[in-house]
Amino acid sequence: MFRTNRIKRLVRSPAVFLMALLFFLPGLNLYATEGVPGMHELDRRVADLMARMTLTEKIGQMAQVNAFGGGIPVAAQEALTAGRIGSILNEVNVNIVNEMQRIAVEESRLGIPLMIGRDVIHGFKTVLPIPLGQAATWNPELVRKGARMSALEAASTGINWTFAPMIDVTRDPRWGRIAESLGEDPYLHSVLGAAMVKGFQGDDLAEHGTIAACAKHFAGYGASESGRDYNTTNIPENELRNVYLPPFHAAVEAGVATIMASFSDLDGIPASGNRFLMRQVLREEWGFEGFVVSDWASIEQLTVHGLTANDKEAAFEALGAGVNMEMASTTYTNHLEELLQEGRISIQQIDEMVEGILRVKFRMGLFENPYTDPSSYPAISNPEHLATARLAALQSLVLLENRNKVLPINKETLGSIAIIGPLADDGYEQMGTWVFDGDAGISQTPLSAIREFVGTDVRVNHVRAMETSRSRSVDGFEKARAAAESSDAVIVFLGEEAILSGEAHSRADIDLPGNQAELLRVLHETGKPLIAVILAGRPLTLENVLDHTDAILYAWHPGTMGGPAITDVLFGVESPAGKLPVTFPKMVGQVPIYYAHKHTGKPATADTFRSIDDIPVRMPQSSSGFVSSHLDAGYSPRYPFGYGLSYTEFSYSDIRLSGNRVALGEPVTVKAVVTNTGDVEADEIVQLYIRDLVGNVTRPVKELKGFQRLRLQPGDSQTVEFVLEPDDLAFYGRDMKLINEPGDFHVWIGGSSEAELRAEFTVTSD
Ligand code: NOJ
């Protein structure tokens, strides 16, 4: 149906007919002519088009406009026809998208198709775990597959560009956007971010079902002070290069088509006007060939920041810094021509920005295939997509506590079970933040999945107990207590509802909100085995509930298939194997707390640390015991990065190196034996960390440099092998250049950042 109409329309359109004729007649093809010798075909097409564009059309390509609320008003039709819009965001009605494309392609003078952007962050209709949860899988292939699934569902509605992956390293669980990130580590971020880029874009952006990715937010947004969203950042250049930039470099290397400038400022210069970031690092150092889009009105906000006095100056700064396309605000549309006439900017500057955009549009194959035929895509939420979402949810689950091996629950010996809490049966909340298109109607909740799993043999006593995760009322608590008392075991689903994390939803207190701790205390009084499943968009501080639970399963916001995935783990169909992509503090005052910290001149150890309770009254001030720690919280987190329990145990032994002395520039191979010493078949995420003992700048006490997910039968062993390349040992030194230095290194292989199995090697300069 769609195809026939489209062909009829195409044939009716003189502009398209002419374009097609030109395209297929050798020698006459405007977009693929023989041109300057040696010029790349893509560049030739861009140059041909550029040569025919007016200034208005060029500035038009630099404008990204929000959709019009379900139609195409006359003014928008005129703007599209005049070539004054290069991209639309937030339109998901395929008919409207196709009509917009038709106007752009058939009715505008040059027929340049539109990029249609949308925040497809962790799924489209079928929702995957939040990105922080996906990071807990440590499974790049699964992450890639999830992004591919999201791309297919989104592309079927005409979306051809997602504003993902978000690869802001962050060490602050107060920041609501930690939910969207891949955690605290540059290496894990780099590997998984690149996997997402590959998933969205495939190997060839022109292929059916691929969409352009957008690595965001460039750069340093994850360091927003005090975790307050949009706040200023304070990142020394050395830390920026060693911690915050590597994931973006990895995304560029993976071929990401676009980059989004951050709302935040860096060293006093907001990212959207930051030449150092976008000219020097992104283009000159990394050779990025895609284009940069601003964040929502972030060019206009240069004035709000106080960098510029008005919109015109904001446009001047953003263009100079290298922002190709302006999202939502209109400083480019309104002021670039004037700035050009005044001679303050050059046409070459505008051309460079427009060329970047056109290059991506050509790469996407949009000129050949501007329209979307939904019937050419797999069905939304088809069984394969649900299976991917389920596996991602399953692998994202992290078991934090399991006293007396209360988990897994044995269904055979269970007569009844209490299912309690505001998040046990809420298909919407389990999807998490950034689910504009997520379909809560297809969510499978823990309650429904548990009911289905236990069947009629086990009585399920369900009490919601609290209306939301924030509720303060205790009205439902007695009913919950009664349900617990009359059950053999209690599973309570707590955490944060979706809106408590994500953009602009930061928290200063990261305990369980509302009266949830009190609910746990009440249930604990019953003496029944008590399992807490926490659904949340960030690490929470759990100190006030640890003594009131027997097991804690951390489920993040697990998405559409959270219910069956959680059920599989609770009842032992599968062992949990997720590992934390971010450190969990004991108290919020420890933040930022992360495993890859610096050693400092006064590191704390069990021997040197003195707690608030150990200090004698009126003890004279002396430097003994003066170590880097908090008197009340100590120096270690509640749960370290890379941590997660299993239903089995793994042991690590026989660490071996290809040599203890390695010449500078040569790789070193590290092997160890992993053994499943328990009695359950399970996955394990094997992690490799290094420490560079002495550096031109101080180096972290541990740095993740490799990981593998493997599966072992009880009693089985496997030798894992990692190759550390010179790049893995390199870091940015004092002069901000990437360097490899001779010197001593430690290397660990184990199941968390607290791995103990260690070897040592020396990189020699000869
Ligand atoms: C603002 C957010 O910071 C960004 O991540 C998002 O892609 C845009 N809005 C568009 O919705």
Side-chain angles (χ1 to χ4, degrees), residues 64 66 89-90 118-121 162-164 166 168 177 180 214 216-217 221 229-230 260-263 294-297 327 434 436 503:
Q64 186 183 49
N66 197 33
L89 77 160
N90 293 331
R118 182 71 160 171
D119 289 286
V120 183
I121 308 295
T162 177
F163 305 124
M166 194 271 225
D168 292 315
R177 301 199 81 167
E180 255 181 278
C214 181
K216 69 187 188 184
H217 306 83
Y221 188 23
D229 208 3
Y230 316 127
M260 186 184 291
S262 173
F263 281 133
S294 77
D295 202 339
W296 184 280
M327 182 192 288
W434 280 118
F436 286 162
E503 186 177 350

Side-chain angles (χ1 to χ4, degrees), residues 688-766:
L688 177 139
Y689 296 87
I690 63 160
R691 178 170 175 198
D692 182 351
L693 267 63
V694 178
N696 161 286
V697 293
T698 56
R699 308 301 306 128
V701 294
K702 267 184 185 163
E703 291 178 273
L704 181 73
K705 291 295 174 184
F707 58 88
Q708 292 175 27
R709 193 177 172 118
L710 50 84
R711 188 167 188 84
L712 285 178
Q713 301 285 338
D716 276 4
S717 295
Q718 188 176 319
T719 300
V720 287
E721 180 176 319
F722 295 90
V723 179
L724 283 170
E725 297 290 348
D727 273 0
D728 294 317
L729 308 182
F731 63 92
Y732 285 87
R734 288 177 209 189
D735 60 1
M736 307 306 153
K737 298 273 181 306
L738 195 62
I739 50 171
N740 277 92
E741 288 184 322
D744 294 334
F745 287 80
H746 288 173
V747 55
W748 295 260
I749 291 184
S752 85
S753 60
E754 294 194 341
E756 285 173 356
L757 184 68
R758 191 180 94 185
E760 298 170 10
F761 63 93
T762 302
V763 173
T764 61
S765 51
D766 42 273

Side-chain angles (χ1 to χ4, degrees), residues 526-595:
T526 65
K528 297 294 168 92
L530 183 53
I531 296 137
V533 181
I534 312 274
L535 288 78
R538 58 162 62 76
L540 294 174
T541 40
L542 300 166
E543 297 304 289
N544 60 345
V545 299
L546 281 180
D547 291 342
H548 294 156
T549 54
D550 296 302
I552 300 178
L553 182 66
Y554 219 79
W556 318 100
H557 287 125
T560 304
M561 297 302 282
I566 290 169
T567 304
D568 281 352
V569 164
L570 291 177
F571 290 90
V573 176
E574 182 62 45
S575 171
K579 302 272 184 165
L580 295 180
V582 59
T583 304
F584 275 45
K586 295 176 197 155
M587 301 179 196
V588 73
Q590 291 181 291
V591 171
I593 181 166
Y594 47 94
Y595 84 95

